[in-house]
């Protein structure tokens, strides 16, 4: 009983501190603080990914990937903030090309044995794309939405919208699955997830979408109630996929949590796993469906 109480208090404390910091940064429009938050979570998440590979003794170039991830996050933030999305796309492609060249060049100085070099390069590239490239869409959402005439960012409200829907999906899956869950969803990946939790996640995500749009609809200028409904379902579904994707990695590497970065919650990757899939989906919805103009 005492241990459960300690875990609950640790989880509650971590959640309150994290949300306080995140919400202050988001609504204050403090762009450097936002970058630091995204950068820390992204790099720690990438480090945890490679730690999971190390636990299974899977080959990788973690230091090379971390350096490349740092450069990618810094460069994208700079280009999006000061120049615009067009140059940022070019920069990201350049980083990936240079990264591939560096990984191949480094592998040339190591002894080639069967498929080991291919495995090492594949695991390294996958980690960079899975964590850094996907998570960086959170930054893109902030800057893909045009600024105010005074130069203030407006995309931060869409990031808040994204986080609420994603976390409502997680909460809905947990609560519904715990209370009425009986039919297992994909037991070979996650034995605790149920179909009841799946549909509960979609319902909660849609409710979260409606709630944010109801209170902040005047700031979510590209949305209406139809788009709020569609995004609630789409982002809720993507959040489930994101959570299951990390479950595949954890089950494959034999770990329970990605790390202990956040007491009571787990690792940074455990925190952002759903966002890795919901953020790109919201970004492309804004660009391809709502046709948000490029700055």
């Amino acid at each position: 009983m005492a241990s459960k109480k300690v875990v609950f208090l640790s989880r509650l404390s971590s959640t309150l501190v994290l949300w306080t910091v995140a919400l202050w940064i988001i609504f204050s429009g403090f762009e450097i603080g936002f970058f630091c938050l995204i950068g820390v979570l992204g790099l720690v998440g990438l480090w945890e990914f490679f730690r999971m590979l190390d636990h299974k003794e899977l080959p990788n170039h973690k230091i090379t990937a971390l350096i490349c991830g740092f450069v990618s996050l810094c460069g994208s933030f700079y280009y999006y903030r000061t120049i615009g999305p067009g140059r940022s796309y070019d920069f990201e492609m350049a980083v990936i090309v240079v990264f591939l060249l560096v990984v191949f060049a480094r592998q040339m100085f190591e002894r080639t044995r069967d498929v080991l070099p291919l495995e090492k390069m594949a695991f390294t590239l996958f980690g960079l794309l899975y964590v850094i490239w996907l998570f960086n869409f959170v930054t893109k959402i902030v800057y893909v939405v045009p600024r105010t005439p005074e130069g203030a960012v407006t995309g931060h409200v869409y990031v808040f919208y994204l986080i609420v829907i994603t976390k409502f999906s997680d909460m809905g899956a947990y609560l519904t699955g715990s209370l009425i869950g009986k039919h297992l969803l994909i037991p070979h990946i996650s034995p605790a997830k149920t179909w009841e939790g799946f549909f509960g996640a979609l319902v909660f995500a849609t409710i979260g979408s409606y709630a944010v749009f109801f209170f902040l609809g005047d700031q979510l200028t590209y949305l209406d109630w139809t788009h709020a409904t569609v995004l609630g379902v789409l982002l809720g579904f993507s959040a489930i996929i994101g959570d299951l994707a990390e479950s595949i990695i954890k089950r494959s590497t034999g770990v329970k949590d990605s790390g202990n970065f956040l007491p009571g919650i787990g690792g940074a990757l455990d925190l952002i796993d759903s966002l890795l899939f919901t953020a790109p989906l919201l970004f492309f919805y804004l660009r391809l469906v709502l046709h948000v103009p490029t700055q």
Side-chain angles (χ1 to χ4, degrees), residues 206-252:
T206 306
I207 292 173
S209 178
Y210 286 157
V212 178
F213 185 70
F214 178 79
F215 288 105
L216 298 175
D218 59 327
Q219 298 183 57
L220 297 167
T221 53
Y222 293 96
L223 301 186
D224 55 26
W225 286 107
T226 300
H227 291 304
T229 303
V230 173
L231 282 171
V233 175
L234 287 179
L235 295 180
F237 178 77
S238 297
I240 297 169
I241 299 301
D243 185 52
L244 289 172
E246 198 206 0
S247 295
I248 293 175
I249 296 172
K250 290 193 289 188
R251 183 165 287 270
S252 298

Side-chain angles (χ1 to χ4, degrees), residues 34-283:
F34 178 84
F35 165 69
C36 291
L37 180 64
I38 296 300
V40 168
L41 289 176
L43 291 175
V44 173
L46 183 61
W47 172 259
E48 291 173 349
F49 171 80
F50 287 116
R51 287 289 300 273
M52 288 193 286
L53 295 187
D54 290 340
H55 183 268
K56 193 68 174 180
E57 297 183 351
L58 297 174
N60 60 82
H61 294 297
K62 67 170 71 65
I63 301 302
T64 302
L66 286 166
I67 294 173
C68 184
F70 176 78
V71 172
S72 179
L73 289 170
C74 292
S76 293
F77 174 75
Y78 169 78
Y79 278 107
Y80 260 93
R81 186 186 184 202
T82 60
I83 300 176
R87 291 290 183 87
S88 180
Y89 302 147
D90 294 340
F91 175 80
E92 284 188 334
M93 293 301 101
V95 168
I96 292 176
V97 170
V98 172
F99 174 73
L100 286 172
L101 289 173
V102 170
V103 170
F104 271 101
R106 177 174 178 177
Q107 197 62 52
M108 292 176 187
F109 293 95
E110 297 186 12
R111 184 179 177 183
T112 301
R113 298 186 302 276
D114 300 322
V115 297
L116 183 62
L118 290 177
E119 290 178 341
K120 183 175 287 189
M121 291 185 289
F123 284 132
T124 305
L125 179 60
F126 175 75
L128 184 72
L129 295 178
Y130 171 61
V131 182
I132 298 297
W133 187 70
L134 291 179
F135 192 51
N136 205 23
F137 276 95
V138 178
T139 300
K140 295 178 182 180
I141 291 170
V142 172
Y143 292 107
V144 76
V145 180
R147 293 175 181 264
T148 65
E150 294 75 26
V153 294
T154 59
H156 62 293
V157 182
Y158 287 88
V159 172
F160 175 71
Y161 175 73
L162 170 75
I163 293 173
V164 170
I165 295 178
T166 303
K167 295 309 172 184
F168 263 58
S169 174
D170 294 342
M171 181 173 60
Y174 176 77
L175 292 177
T176 310
S178 299
L179 293 175
I180 61 173
K182 294 181 179 179
H183 303 87
L184 297 180
L185 180 61
I186 310 179
H188 64 279
I189 295 177
S190 182
K193 290 181 173 57
T194 63
W195 280 104
E196 291 81 0
F198 172 84
F199 289 110
L202 298 183
V203 171
F204 270 66
T206 306
I207 292 173
S209 178
Y210 286 157
V212 178
F213 185 70
F214 178 79
F215 288 105
L216 298 175
D218 59 327
Q219 298 183 57
L220 297 167
T221 53
Y222 293 96
L223 301 186
D224 55 26
W225 286 107
T226 300
H227 291 304
T229 303
V230 173
L231 282 171
V233 175
L234 287 179
L235 295 180
F237 178 77
S238 297
I240 297 169
I241 299 301
D243 185 52
L244 289 172
E246 198 206 0
S247 295
I248 293 175
I249 296 172
K250 290 193 289 188
R251 183 165 287 270
S252 298
T253 55
V255 300
K256 182 179 183 297
D257 295 316
S258 65
N260 54 6
F261 179 70
L262 298 165
I265 295 179
L269 193 55
D270 295 321
L271 181 70
I272 67 173
D273 57 355
S274 298
L275 289 169
L276 298 180
F277 286 78
T278 57
L281 183 60
L282 177 58
F283 173 83

